[in-house]
């Protein structure tokens, strides 16, 4: 039996359970995956997020009691009926939870430009140190190295800062999948690291199939592999692990979602499938939010009123065109810092307005802080 129980990262908590004991497959097959997020930042759920399904280490050396506790929690969660609404909609997170009021302070801008955790680091620096590190960041933001930061480069940087946790997650997984250390992950490497000998095990009685999961993964991998060389570089691997963050991967997010919800295999999502994916408490009065979802389906989801959601309707539901917070903030930062009003920023213009971009202490902090690799 294989198990991994505990937090995978600071961003989320995952308990993954798999069994290879034939005598127990019918009982705990449905407990293969159970997870609940533990953080303030919602996980970008997809039907096959690697973090939810990777098998981990043997439990032979584990103490029995902790394992049994983990096992029991997994089974209880897997066999219980959901009473809370499952949200498949992918929304962009706000850049900061602080109020955006430059007349009061620049806290919102600091967190938008740096990310929440990095903004705290800058708050501990002297103005001189903040300017120095900001100058280093400008050189990274200026991707084409022409000496100017454009609106698009600023927007891209803000998105990167806000998604830093994604790249940290990918960095961790990269080390376990690039088995030969050639700086690319091939499909064979990923398959062997993720599934290994598990494919030799019989399928669970509840219909769960590792092989079907692998086929879906391979399809997603091929879509992420833009140059078609059957190897994923770091960016391609990131789009494979977090497809909802990449425009060219959104079709696969929609397809996988539809496959998960479409129980009768007609390629569409009807009302009962839509509700059944969110709520399945049989024999009890429906909560008010379920009734609201039925109305939402009829009035807004099913746009052509044929009683079902097709691919485009599903895409509009799970991938709405939200307000682009990063673009709005990029425009704001450029406008406030562009001294010569040429629509782009020099390093000097940014550093001159350092208090808008980053925080600092008014006096010397007293000791040098450990520099992050990023700087």
């Amino acid at each position: 039996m294989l198990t991994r129980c505990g937090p995978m990262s600071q961003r989320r908590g995952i308990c993954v359970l798999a069994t290879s004991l034939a005598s127990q497959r019918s009982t705990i097959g449905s407990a293969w995956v159970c997870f609940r997020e533990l953080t303030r930042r919602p996980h970008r759920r997809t039907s096959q997020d690697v973090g939810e399904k990777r098998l981990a280490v043997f439990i032979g050396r584990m103490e029995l009691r902790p394992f049994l506790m983990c096992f029991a929690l997994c089974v209880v969660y897997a066999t219980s009926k959901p009473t809370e609404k499952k949200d498949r909609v992918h929304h962009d997170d706000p850049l900061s939870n602080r109020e955006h009021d430059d007349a009061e302070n620049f806290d919102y801008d600091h967190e938008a430009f740096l990310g929440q955790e990095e903004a705290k680091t800058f708050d501990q620096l002297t103005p001189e140190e903040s300017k120095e590190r900001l100058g280093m960041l400008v050189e990274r933001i200026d991707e084409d190295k022409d000496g100017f930061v454009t609106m698009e480069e600023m927007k891209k940087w803000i998105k990167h800062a806000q998604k830093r946790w994604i790249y940290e997650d990918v960095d961790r997984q990269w080390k376990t999948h690039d088995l030969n250390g050639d700086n690319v992950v091939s499909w064979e490497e990923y398959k062997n690291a993720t599934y290994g000998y598990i494919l030799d095990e019989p399928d669970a009685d509840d219909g769960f199939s590792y092989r079907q999961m692998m086929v879906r993964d391979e399809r997603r991998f091929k879509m992420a592999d833009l140059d078609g060389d059957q190897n994923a570089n770091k960016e391609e691997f990131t789009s494979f692990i977090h497809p909802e963050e990449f425009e060219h991967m959104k079709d696969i997010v929609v397809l996988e979602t539809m496959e998960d919800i479409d129980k009768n295999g007609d390629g569409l999502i009807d009302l009962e499938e839509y509700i059944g994916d969110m709520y399945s408490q049989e024999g009890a009065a429906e909560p008010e939010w379920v009734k609201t979802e039925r109305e939402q389906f009829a009035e807004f989801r099913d746009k052509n009123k044929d009683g079902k959601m097709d691919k485009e309707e599903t895409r509009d539901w799970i991938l709405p065109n939200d307000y682009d917070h990063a673009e709005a903030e990029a425009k704001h930062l450029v406008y406030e810092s562009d001294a010569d009003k040429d629509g782009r920023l020099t390093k000097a213009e940014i550093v001159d307005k350092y208090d808008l971009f980053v925080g600092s202490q008014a006096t010397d902090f007293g000791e040098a802080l450990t520099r992050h690799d990023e700087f």
Side-chain angles (χ1 to χ4, degrees), residues 1 17-31 67-68 71 75 204-205:
M1 186 178 293
L17 175 69
T19 179
S20 60
L21 301 179
S23 62
Q24 297 178 4
R25 289 299 286 268
S26 61
T27 304
I28 61 176
S30 62
F67 166 70
L68 290 176
F71 175 80
V75 172
D205 293 340

Side-chain angles (χ1 to χ4, degrees), residues 25 32 48 53 55 187-188 190-192 194-204 207-220 259:
R25 289 299 286 268
W32 181 79
Q48 285 195 233
K53 67 180 179 353
L55 302 175
W187 166 247
E188 288 301 315
Y190 176 81
K191 181 177 71 173
N192 292 335
T194 303
Y195 298 100
Y197 62 85
I198 293 299
L199 294 176
D200 296 331
E201 299 295 331
D203 290 341
F208 176 82
S209 170
Y210 296 109
R211 194 166 298 279
Q212 289 178 3
M213 178 178 286
M214 187 189 69
V215 169
R216 282 174 54 144
D217 269 357
E218 184 174 14
R219 180 181 63 189
R220 186 198 282 191
E259 288 175 345

Side-chain angles (χ1 to χ4, degrees), residues 102 331-339 341 345 353 356:
D102 287 357
K331 290 180 179 179
H332 169 65
L333 293 176
V334 171
Y335 176 81
E336 293 294 335
S337 310
D338 187 13
K341 302 303 178 185
L345 302 179
K353 294 283 290 184
L356 172 65

Side-chain angles (χ1 to χ4, degrees), residues 272-335:
E272 294 312 310
E273 290 170 333
Y274 174 79
I275 295 298
D277 181 61
M278 301 179 182
Y279 179 80
S280 57
Q281 189 81 20
E282 299 177 1
E286 286 186 349
E288 214 39 58
W289 68 261
V290 177
K291 298 177 182 178
T292 300
E293 284 298 334
R294 290 185 181 277
E295 296 171 358
Q296 290 284 318
F297 183 93
E299 295 179 20
F300 302 107
R301 310 279 186 249
D302 178 22
K303 295 184 177 181
N304 61 7
K305 308 304 178 186
D306 66 350
K308 300 179 179 181
M309 285 197 298
D310 56 25
K311 179 179 177 180
E312 291 306 314
E313 289 168 329
T314 302
R315 183 186 179 99
D316 290 343
W317 166 43
I318 66 172
L319 298 171
N321 292 320
D322 288 342
Y323 176 74
D324 195 331
H325 298 279
E327 181 175 359
E329 179 64 9
K331 290 180 179 179
H332 169 65
L333 293 176
V334 171
Y335 176 81

Side-chain angles (χ1 to χ4, degrees), residues 148-332:
F148 297 96
V149 172
T150 64
M151 191 87 69
E152 190 60 32
E153 287 173 329
M154 183 67 74
K155 174 183 172 180
K156 187 173 181 179
W157 167 259
I158 292 172
K159 285 183 175 292
H160 171 80
Q162 294 296 316
K163 306 298 183 184
R164 186 176 283 111
W165 68 271
I166 289 178
Y167 293 98
E168 291 172 352
D169 176 42
V170 170
D171 284 341
R172 284 190 296 269
Q173 297 202 42
W174 184 265
K175 297 174 183 176
T176 62
H177 289 97
D178 182 15
L179 302 179
N180 60 7
D182 62 351
N183 291 320
V184 294
V185 174
S186 68
W187 166 247
E188 288 301 315
E189 284 180 311
Y190 176 81
K191 181 177 71 173
N192 292 335
T194 303
Y195 298 100
Y197 62 85
I198 293 299
L199 294 176
D200 296 331
E201 299 295 331
D203 290 341
D205 293 340
D206 63 0
F208 176 82
S209 170
Y210 296 109
R211 194 166 298 279
Q212 289 178 3
M213 178 178 286
M214 187 189 69
V215 169
R216 282 174 54 144
D217 269 357
E218 184 174 14
R219 180 181 63 189
R220 186 198 282 191
F221 190 95
K222 289 179 178 178
M223 183 168 287
D225 179 21
L226 292 177
D227 57 12
D229 64 354
Q230 299 182 15
N231 294 307
N233 59 32
K234 201 68 166 287
E235 189 72 3
E236 290 171 333
F237 189 69
T238 302
S239 70
F240 170 66
I241 301 298
H242 296 278
E244 69 287 342
E245 302 294 338
F246 293 81
E247 190 63 36
H248 70 279
M249 295 295 290
K250 289 186 176 180
D251 281 346
I252 201 71
V253 175
V254 174
L255 178 59
E256 290 179 358
T257 300
M258 295 190 73
E259 288 175 345
D260 289 341
I261 302 176
D262 174 26
K263 302 304 181 184
N264 62 15
D266 65 352
L268 301 167
I269 299 175
D270 61 35
L271 175 60
E272 294 312 310
E273 290 170 333
Y274 174 79
I275 295 298
D277 181 61
M278 301 179 182
Y279 179 80
S280 57
Q281 189 81 20
E282 299 177 1
E286 286 186 349
E288 214 39 58
W289 68 261
V290 177
K291 298 177 182 178
T292 300
E293 284 298 334
R294 290 185 181 277
E295 296 171 358
Q296 290 284 318
F297 183 93
E299 295 179 20
F300 302 107
R301 310 279 186 249
D302 178 22
K303 295 184 177 181
N304 61 7
K305 308 304 178 186
D306 66 350
K308 300 179 179 181
M309 285 197 298
D310 56 25
K311 179 179 177 180
E312 291 306 314
E313 289 168 329
T314 302
R315 183 186 179 99
D316 290 343
W317 166 43
I318 66 172
L319 298 171
N321 292 320
D322 288 342
Y323 176 74
D324 195 331
H325 298 279
E327 181 175 359
E329 179 64 9
K331 290 180 179 179
H332 169 65

